[in-house]
Every structure is written in C-alpha cells, then in structure tokens.
Amino acid sequence: MSSTFEPKYELEGIVRRLSSRKSLKHQAGDKKVITLDERRGTVARYTKPFGKYRYYLVYSDVICKGTLDNLEIEDFSSLNSLYLNITYKVSCPPENMEKLVEGLFDGNGEYPQKKLERLIGKHIREFIDNKFETAAIFFEDFYKTTGNLVKYLQNRIMDSAGLKFNAHIAPRYEDELESITVDEDFKEVFVSDYDPGLKVKYKALLEIDPDHKIKAILRFEERGELKSLVYKTVKKTFSTEVKLGEFLKDTEALKKKLSRRLEEALVPEGRKLAHFSIQTEEIVSDSEKEFILNDYDVECKLKDCTIQVKHDLIMNIDDLGKFKSSGIENLEEWVKRKLESFTRTALFGKPYLELILSYEEKNETFDDYGVKGMMVDAAEEIGFKVKQLITIPRVKPLELLNGFSFEVGENEDFTTLDTRIKVKLKVTVRGRIADLTQIEKYINPQVDITDKMKEKVVEGVKQVIDHTDPERYYIRFKNVNEELGDTQTVEEEIIASVTQKLRDEFFATEIMVLPKILDTDITKRFYELQSKFYNFQFDTFPFKEGGNGEAVSFKVKYQIKGVHPNGWHQFQSKQFGSVEEVVEQIDGLLKDHIVNTLNVSRSDEIIFKTYMDIQKLTELSNLLLVPIIAKTFGLIIEVISITRDATQIEKKRYDRLQKALETHDNKMNIEKETSLALASVKSAELNSLIEQYKQIKSIPELANSEEAEELKRKIENFESQFDEVHNQIEDNLLDQEEPEGNDLDELLEILKNNGSSKQIAAPDKGDEIDDVIEIPEEESGKDDEHG
C-alpha cells in the first residue's frame, strides 16, 4: 500500500530530505536526488564508508509559495519595531539543484525552509544596514523602498541558494488600520486668565494619514492611547493659548486653534484630524453675554414738571473675571438701579423747555447730561461694555419729530352756505415737525401740541365748508364743473386750507390730508330710499264716458334713482319722521296725478291689450310723474312697470266662455260615450256575422250558396256603418279649436324690427327741474288719435 507525501513546509515542494537513497524508485530530468556530506556541507559525488550523508530530493522548475510572518525589524534609536509579513514565490533552475541543497543546508538538521527564512531576514537587515543610517529612516521610507528591497532579495537569494525569488512585503497591521472616533462628554480644562476650571465637550474623528501611514502601523498596539493624547492636547492648548473671552465668545476661532494643535500632535501617530467639534460650558447666560433692556421708564422730577424717561440699553460681557468677582446676582436689577440713579441725578431741576430743545435728533440721546457716560463707567467696573444706550424723555413734543397722525371731524357738525344744512366729514392728517425751536411757544408741560393742531385743522375745514353750497358739497365733492364756476373740488379746497394752517402755525412738513364724507341723516335717508323698489295701486273711473265705461285697477312699481342735481335744497327741506313717511307721501302724490290723468281717458285707451300699449302707458307715466317728484321732493324716480287687473266686463265674458266650454265639453263627452257603446255593439254583431260566414265557406256545398252571399252583404253593410261610427269617435276626440296668433309672436316681431324699447334719458347735471325728463322723439309733438 503506497502512502501519499504530505509536505510539512511549503518549500518541500522543491527540496526535501529523504530518509535514505533507496526511497527514490526512479529519477527523471526534472527531479534529482542529491547526496550531501554533512561534515563538509557540500555535495558528495561518491560516498565513503563511515561517512555521514544526507539525501535530498530536488525538483527543478517547480514553483512554491511560502509566507514569513512577523519578521521583526528593530530600531534601537527609537525602540520601535516594524513587523513584516512576507509572501514569497520560489523555484529552482535545473542547473542550481546542487547549489540549492548546499545553500539551504543547516548542520543542526533544520528543514531547508527554515534556512531560507533566516536568509530572507538576514538579507533584509543587510539591505537596511547598507542603505539607511538607522532603521527609523527605513520605516519612514518603507513604501518608497519596498521595490528596491524585493530586487535586492532576488539577487541575494539567487547568489546564496540558487533560487529564483519574488516577494510581496507588507507591514503587520496594515489591513487592520481604521479610523478612530474620540467622543468625550464634558471634561475639565483651564484657561490662561481664569482660575476656576471650565468644562468642554468635544468629538474628533482620527483618520489614517496616507503620508505617515507607517507611523500608524508602528503605533498600532498603542492606538488606545489616542483618546488620552487628544484630551492632553486639548487641555494643554486651553491652559496656554486660550483666554476666557475667547472661550465665551468665539467658538469657531477656538475650534480652529484646537484643530491645529491636534493635527500637530497626531503626526507622530500617523493620524490626521478628519472632523472636530467642540461645545463649551455655559458659565454665563445669554442675557449676561449680551444684556438687553428695552423701554425701561424712569420717573424724573424737572424744575417745572415730572416726566418719564425711556431707556434702551445693550451691554456685552467684556471681562468675565470682573463680572464673576463683582458678586452681582441679578444683572437686570443692578442695571435698573444704576439707570434710575444716573438719570434722576442728570436731569434733576432742569427746565422742561431746555430739556426738549437740547434733544439731539441724530443721536437720539442726552449725552450732554452724562447719563451714558456714567453708565459706561459703571458697566466697565463689572466687566461689561455698553454697546448702545438711548435715553428719550416720553414727552409729546419729541414724538412730533418722528411724525404725527390724528383724525378730526367725527364729532363735529360743519355748517354749509345754507346755515340750515349741516354736513359731517372725517379728516385724517399726517405729517412731521422737524424743528421744535420754531414752535417754542407751544412747548409747555400744560399744552398738548397735537390738540392745538387739531383745532387748527377744524378751523381750516370750517373756512371751506362755511362757503360751500350743500348741493356742491354732495354732488361735486371730488369733481369739478367748470360751467358752474368751479376751479377746485371741495376736497382739494379742504386739503389746501388745512395744509396751509399746519405750515403757517406749526412749520409742519411731509403733510398729508385725507378728507372723507360721513353719513348724515339726509344721506342715510337717501341711501335707504334708493335701496328698494316701491309699489302702489289705484282704480280709475271713466269720467270721460260719464260712467258708461269700465273701471280699471292698476299696479305701479317704481324706484328712486337719485337726487336731482338742483334738488338738494328741496330734498333736505322735507321733514319726515321716517323713510316710510317719505314713501307714503311720494306714493300719494304719484297716485293722485296718474289717477287724475287716466280718469279723463277713455276706457279703450287705458285697457291695454298689447305690449306696445304697456310701453306707451309706462312712458306716459314717466313723462307725467318724474318731473312732479323732482319738483316736489328733489328726487329722480323711474317707473319700472305698470300692470292692470281684468275689468268686470272681461271677467264676465271670460266666465260665460268658460261655462259655454264646459257645456260643450259635457255634450261631447256624452256623445263620445254613446258612440263608443254603439261601436261596441256593432263590433260584436260584425264579429258574429264574420264567424257564420267562415263556417259556411268551410262547407264546399254551401260556399257559393245564396246564404253565403247574403252574409257577405250584411258584413259589408256593417263595415260601412262601423267606419262611420269610428270616424265620429275620432271627430269627438279631436274636436278643438286651432290656436290663433298670440301677443308673444307680435312682441317678438316688434323687438326684431325696432331693436329695443326707448328708455327715459337720465337728466344731466345742471338741468333745471322742469327739464329733467326728455320726451322720446317718436312721442314728441305727435297727436294721439284719442287726444
């Protein structure tokens, strides 16, 4: 039973020791048994008795791979060691078989591979000793030198062992290198100008530095110390390079400084800083870092009055040490006490007028009195800087420098040129007083300048309204009628008058005046009248026919369109308790005039039966009634529609017609029922004769008999009678009058031919009341056939 060779070492695929020469059964050109003299370490061509020999089986041109792990290269100057992992590939040329055995022979009986590994280590150290002053320099240049080192090994292994050699050399841990995250919660540090410890929280990502990768490999087993290294660097940087102000204010600058120091500290470790963030402890609140106080009022006693002085303050922390040592627990209370003390001291006993006129608009402060200077000194003592302090007395004159805005008129009644008529309007005024010295006479604690300006505005409005006709006020407030002598609108006159008053008396600038008409009783009454349609009805009596004609009941719908341009006096002069009373009076007047007119017309003239008749009556009503209302009430109305009820004669005729139609329908229904019954009987008899005739015709002997012919004649006679009955039934069912042409067709034809009905023209502004309504052209000057 043959056994399979299992090599213990990789190199045994090329060379291995045999127990005896007889172990080789046959020998070829690519393998050879070589005898080695142990005493001399050389190949023995012949063996001698009592000699000591070893036998090796060598294969040529066989490639074997091997590994040599953790080959230590030590640098005594730094006490660092680099461990190399070498993967190699070797083969033996045929001519070097004996050289291989001699080169790898070891008198201690080691395997040839062990000798080869010692040779590799020996030649690597030779290369380092020959090429570099120290191993540390080799470490730094490792990745640049690897190619030359492999070539050196190829030559030296060939010389010493006759082997073709190639290798890949890599440091141990190279594949295990990875980024490291250092994430520390709050740690204590000290800054250079502040004794108590402070807390910082930071996070750092440490990546391998490609330019110093070998250093990271050399420090691989000490990588756990990086966390401590980062903290030491951060702590040292704070204590030697950072001041408290930077710690509090400029986190970004702090981060950059720490990042630079960490980069420097990480170079020996073969690392670089990929990310760094830091968070400092809040040892002062945001309100202490930047303290803001808005709209804080201090009551100050002047020489002639007491006023409130408003302060707006912004302070920033400048020296934390001073602030912490000041012992101030509540910064806001401290600031308020100081402002109260400094302001009262600075303004005590000052005259009101002097204080107002000394205000510097551009600076918006009272530096001449020293409030800001005292506050700056006090803040500096506790480690703060005053960024801004604005001190402004809360007095009306100073508010005018920023502008004024008010309204007048809502509670005023302005009398027009007609003293009986008053109007209401609201005037909004805006502007600014740029120089208080020009209104010095009004600067007094007991004087409200805004109230004085309001009085002047009302005065300016009254000067205009007093000379304004009420009709012009209502009709042309925003419009100009040059034909009536207008050069400005009422609105423009008010604006000019008010503006002039404010400029002359108060030297105001940037003035804007907005007058707006307000509702009065008269305008409210008009709007309510205009918002609805109104109706009234009346009955006529045929006076012209001496009572022989017909009475007609009419309904009239009208609307109030507006106030006539020359009718405001008339409209305002009417005094009524309510709108309903106005409408009642208008309805009564309209009814009286139209009834009197239609009562003296013939019945056949006012009993309209076509659309044209309705249109004529509507136009007549407008021509008749509109001027009357304009003269009496000052209003423009329009009659929208006139409708009438059926007359008594029309109703009686209609009733008689309905009764006649009902009688006719009843008669027709009876005749229809009789005809249907007769048709039913005739139909039964006819069916019986037809049945008898079919039976006789079915008997051949009787088919052409006299009896059959008689039945046939009877059937034909019955069919003739049945057709007459059938026609009679149809006549009864379909008996109805054909509709004649109706008024809608006539109306449509009129509309197509005439276009649209004439409308009563609205009066132009400025027309006399008698000329408010214009008579349509087709009616003007034409005599109606009925007079």
Side-chain angles (χ1 to χ4, degrees):
M1 182 176 179
S2 61
S3 61
T4 302
F5 172 69
E6 295 181 358
K8 186 175 181 181
Y9 295 96
E10 293 87 344
L11 192 60
E12 289 184 345
I14 293 177
V15 56
R16 60 187 174 87
R17 184 178 178 182
L18 300 177
S19 58
S20 68
R21 191 174 180 85
K22 296 178 180 179
S23 299
L24 184 63
K25 295 183 181 287
H26 55 84
Q27 184 170 320
D30 60 346
K31 59 184 177 180
K32 183 177 182 181
V33 175
I34 296 175
T35 304
L36 187 73
D37 188 340
E38 283 190 15
R39 291 191 182 97
R40 295 192 175 118
T42 59
V43 174
R45 306 295 178 192
Y46 305 100
T47 59
K48 298 179 180 180
F50 308 108
K52 295 185 68 176
Y53 301 97
R54 292 184 189 175
Y55 304 99
Y56 295 92
L57 177 61
V58 181
Y59 294 86
S60 66
D61 296 329
V62 173
I63 298 175
C64 285
K65 293 181 180 180
T67 58
L68 173 59
D69 293 332
N70 298 324
L71 177 64
E72 183 180 11
I73 307 298
E74 187 175 9
D75 176 56
F76 290 101
S77 62
S78 62
L79 297 180
N80 286 330
S81 292
L82 179 66
Y83 294 87
L84 302 179
N85 291 335
I86 304 168
T87 301
Y88 59 86
K89 181 171 65 174
V90 294
S91 64
C92 180
E95 66 273 14
N96 290 346
M97 288 182 175
E98 293 181 354
K99 187 176 181 180
L100 169 65
V101 173
E102 289 179 350
L104 297 184
F105 171 71
D106 190 308
N108 296 324
E110 287 185 339
Y111 289 96
Q113 183 165 333
K114 289 292 185 181
K115 180 65 178 290
L116 176 62
E117 290 176 355
R118 289 204 308 275
L119 284 175
I120 292 171
K122 173 185 173 184
H123 294 323
I124 288 175
R125 294 182 179 89
E126 289 174 357
F127 176 81
I128 294 172
D129 292 340
N130 294 333
K131 300 291 183 180
F132 301 95
E133 292 183 5
T134 63
I137 299 175
F138 168 72
F139 296 163
E140 292 179 6
D141 294 342
F142 174 80
Y143 288 103
K144 299 177 183 178
T145 309
T146 306
N148 293 331
L149 175 58
V150 171
K151 289 180 182 179
Y152 182 82
L153 288 175
Q154 289 173 341
N155 295 330
R156 296 297 292 132
I157 298 299
M158 175 60 75
D159 292 342
S160 59
L163 285 172
K164 291 182 178 180
F165 180 87
N166 202 357
H168 172 75
I169 304 174
R172 187 176 69 174
Y173 306 129
E174 184 180 52
D175 295 335
E176 299 177 51
L177 292 176
E178 60 184 2
S179 299
I180 294 175
T181 299
V182 179
D183 192 356
E184 290 286 4
D185 204 348
F186 282 103
K187 306 276 287 185
E188 187 175 48
V189 295
F190 296 88
V191 294
S192 60
D193 61 343
Y194 185 64
D195 292 337
L198 305 172
K199 297 291 183 66
V200 295
K201 179 181 181 180
Y202 57 85
K203 185 175 183 179
L205 177 62
L206 314 181
E207 289 185 346
I208 305 301
D209 185 352
D211 296 333
H212 301 91
K213 184 177 180 181
I214 199 70
K215 293 181 179 180
I217 293 172
L218 292 170
R219 299 288 297 164
F220 183 80
E221 292 185 351
E222 288 76 32
R223 63 190 183 280
E225 299 176 6
L226 286 173
K227 182 176 181 180
S228 175
L229 173 65
V230 171
Y231 176 55
K232 289 178 181 177
T233 304
V234 169
K235 191 174 182 179
K236 181 180 178 181
T237 304
F238 269 108
S239 63
T240 58
E241 301 182 41
V242 177
K243 293 185 177 182
L244 184 61
E246 187 178 1
F247 180 89
L248 294 174
K249 298 176 184 177
D250 201 345
T251 305
E252 193 61 31
L254 190 62
K255 175 182 171 182
K256 289 180 181 178
K257 183 177 291 186
L258 289 168
S259 297
R260 287 196 300 271
R261 295 296 174 255
L262 285 171
E263 289 281 8
E264 295 168 0
L266 290 171
V267 169
E269 305 296 324
R271 301 273 175 172
K272 68 176 184 177
L273 193 64
H275 170 77
F276 181 71
S277 62
I278 187 166
Q279 178 181 342
T280 59
E281 176 190 16
E282 294 291 341
I283 62 172
V284 292
S285 65
D286 291 338
S287 61
E288 291 175 330
K289 289 180 183 178
E290 184 176 66
F291 178 82
I292 299 175
L293 183 67
N294 289 324
D295 292 337
Y296 181 64
D297 287 344
V298 175
E299 186 177 278
C300 295
K301 186 174 179 58
L302 302 180
K303 180 179 180 180
D304 43 4
C305 66
T306 299
I307 64 170
Q308 298 288 329
V309 179
K310 180 181 74 111
H311 299 81
D312 293 308
L313 172 68
I314 301 176
M315 298 193 312
N316 297 114
I317 190 74
D318 184 58
D319 189 329
L320 182 62
K322 281 186 179 181
F323 177 62
K324 289 297 183 181
S325 62
S326 67
I328 296 174
E329 296 181 358
N330 189 317
L331 181 60
E332 182 176 349
E333 290 183 359
W334 180 88
V335 168
K336 289 179 178 179
R337 286 197 307 271
K338 291 297 181 182
L339 286 176
E340 290 173 2
S341 174
F342 297 154
T343 306
R344 287 168 181 163
T345 301
L347 301 183
F348 180 77
K350 297 292 187 295
Y352 180 84
L353 178 61
E354 178 187 323
L355 179 71
I356 301 303
L357 297 182
S358 66
Y359 177 75
E360 297 179 13
E361 182 183 356
K362 292 182 180 179
N363 296 330
E364 294 185 342
T365 186
F366 285 85
D367 284 343
D368 290 346
Y369 295 110
V371 176
K372 185 174 182 179
M374 289 185 282
M375 193 66 205
V376 167
D377 293 341
E380 187 178 355
E381 290 178 3
I382 64 167
F384 275 88
K385 280 188 176 180
V386 174
K387 184 177 180 181
Q388 185 181 55
L389 175 60
I390 299 175
T391 303
I392 302 176
R394 289 190 184 273
V395 289
K396 290 290 181 68
L398 293 183
E399 294 175 4
L400 300 175
L401 293 172
N402 296 322
F404 58 82
S405 176
F406 56 81
E407 294 178 346
V408 299
E410 284 193 277
N411 300 318
E412 297 279 347
D413 288 326
F414 297 95
T415 303
T416 62
L417 187 60
D418 184 344
T419 57
R420 298 169 301 171
I421 300 174
K422 295 183 178 180
V423 298
K424 295 183 73 68
L425 77 160
K426 177 176 69 176
V427 182
T428 302
V429 180
R430 297 190 184 94
R432 182 169 173 265
I433 296 178
D435 187 357
L436 295 177
T437 60
Q438 293 180 314
I439 59 168
E440 185 174 333
K441 65 180 180 179
Y442 289 114
I443 300 177
N444 187 294
Q446 285 73 43
V447 175
D448 189 322
I449 300 176
T450 302
D451 287 344
K452 293 295 183 181
M453 286 194 288
K454 289 180 180 180
E455 292 174 4
K456 289 297 180 180
V457 170
V458 172
E459 182 181 314
V461 174
K462 285 183 175 180
Q463 285 180 356
V464 175
I465 302 300
D466 285 348
H467 299 86
T468 302
D469 185 273
E471 290 182 6
R472 178 173 176 242
Y473 177 84
Y474 284 114
I475 300 298
R476 302 194 300 280
F477 188 81
K478 288 179 175 289
N479 300 294
V480 171
N481 191 328
E482 294 180 356
E483 294 179 1
L484 298 178
D486 295 344
T487 58
Q488 285 183 305
T489 66
V490 177
E491 179 184 52
E492 289 170 344
E493 289 184 15
I494 292 173
I495 293 173
S497 176
V498 170
T499 301
Q500 192 64 43
K501 292 283 184 184
L502 292 175
R503 284 176 179 168
D504 293 346
E505 189 67 20
F506 300 96
F507 301 92
T509 60
E510 303 172 22
I511 300 171
M512 183 182 71
V513 181
L514 299 173
K516 180 180 179 182
I517 292 178
L518 298 179
D519 286 339
T520 59
D521 292 340
I522 188 171
T523 57
K524 291 176 183 177
R525 175 164 34 119
F526 168 69
Y527 293 142
E528 189 172 352
L529 285 170
Q530 194 183 35
S531 65
K532 301 176 183 178
F533 291 99
Y534 302 98
N535 302 276
F536 65 90
Q537 58 187 25
F538 61 91
D539 296 330
T540 64
F541 188 84
F543 288 125
K544 192 169 185 178
E545 299 166 288
N548 293 323
E550 291 186 84
V552 186
S553 295
F554 285 96
K555 296 183 179 68
V556 179
K557 177 180 286 187
Y558 69 94
Q559 65 176 340
I560 295 174
K561 302 280 286 184
V563 177
H564 192 278
N566 296 323
W568 276 102
H569 288 292
Q570 193 69 13
F571 178 57
Q572 293 176 103
S573 65
K574 295 293 183 290
Q575 300 296 323
F576 296 99
S578 64
V579 170
E580 288 74 17
E581 290 184 20
V582 179
V583 175
E584 183 180 348
Q585 292 290 327
I586 293 175
D587 287 351
L589 188 59
L590 292 174
K591 187 184 300 184
D592 290 344
H593 280 77
I594 196 167
V595 168
N596 290 336
T597 300
L598 297 184
N599 277 348
V600 296
S601 301
R602 293 202 311 268
S603 298
D604 59 347
E605 291 178 328
I606 62 175
I607 300 175
F608 53 76
K609 297 179 180 179
T610 67
Y611 176 76
M612 289 299 296
D613 294 333
I614 298 172
Q615 186 182 32
K616 288 180 181 179
L617 188 56
T618 304
E619 291 177 354
L620 175 64
S621 301
N622 277 305
L623 290 170
L624 173 68
L625 302 177
V626 171
I628 294 170
I629 299 303
K631 286 182 179 181
T632 309
F633 292 92
L635 295 171
I636 300 172
I637 69 163
E638 180 183 0
V639 176
I640 304 299
S641 65
I642 297 179
T643 60
R644 72 173 179 86
D645 295 338
T647 65
Q648 292 296 322
I649 294 175
E650 287 173 332
K651 289 180 180 178
K652 288 177 181 179
R653 287 175 181 171
Y654 179 76
D655 291 342
R656 285 199 301 270
L657 178 59
Q658 294 303 312
K659 288 180 180 178
L661 290 174
E662 184 177 349
T663 301
H664 177 268
D665 289 344
N666 291 337
K667 180 181 177 182
M668 293 304 296
N669 288 335
I670 293 171
E671 290 178 358
K672 180 176 67 174
E673 291 173 2
T674 303
S675 298
L676 289 173
L678 178 60
S680 179
V681 173
K682 292 291 185 182
S683 178
E685 291 180 7
L686 178 59
N687 289 336
S688 176
L689 289 172
I690 292 172
E691 187 63 32
Q692 293 176 35
Y693 180 72
K694 287 181 180 179
Q695 290 177 2
I696 292 175
K697 291 293 283 185
S698 65
I699 303 172
E701 296 83 6
L702 301 176
N704 296 318
S705 66
E706 184 63 30
E707 185 179 358
E709 289 298 324
E710 182 65 25
L711 285 172
K712 183 178 179 182
R713 285 193 296 274
K714 288 182 178 181
I715 289 172
E716 290 174 351
N717 185 39
F718 263 99
E719 286 180 344
S720 176
Q721 295 178 15
F722 189 78
D723 287 340
E724 292 178 2
V725 173
H726 183 267
N727 290 335
Q728 184 179 1
I729 293 171
E730 287 186 343
D731 290 342
N732 290 334
L733 291 173
L734 301 175
D735 186 17
Q736 54 185 352
E737 295 182 359
E738 289 293 330
E740 298 179 356
N742 56 54
D743 288 340
L744 285 178
D745 294 330
E746 184 179 348
L747 172 60
L748 289 173
E749 190 65 27
I750 292 171
L751 292 175
K752 289 178 182 177
N753 294 333
N754 297 341
S756 60
S757 61
K758 273 287 195 174
Q759 300 296 321
I760 300 176
D764 293 331
K765 292 179 181 179
D767 290 346
E768 293 299 327
I769 295 180
D770 293 340
D771 299 327
V772 169
I773 302 300
E774 296 178 358
I775 301 174
E777 292 178 2
E778 64 268 29
E779 298 294 330
S780 177
K782 186 177 73 172
D783 294 331
D784 189 275
E785 61 179 346
H786 299 298

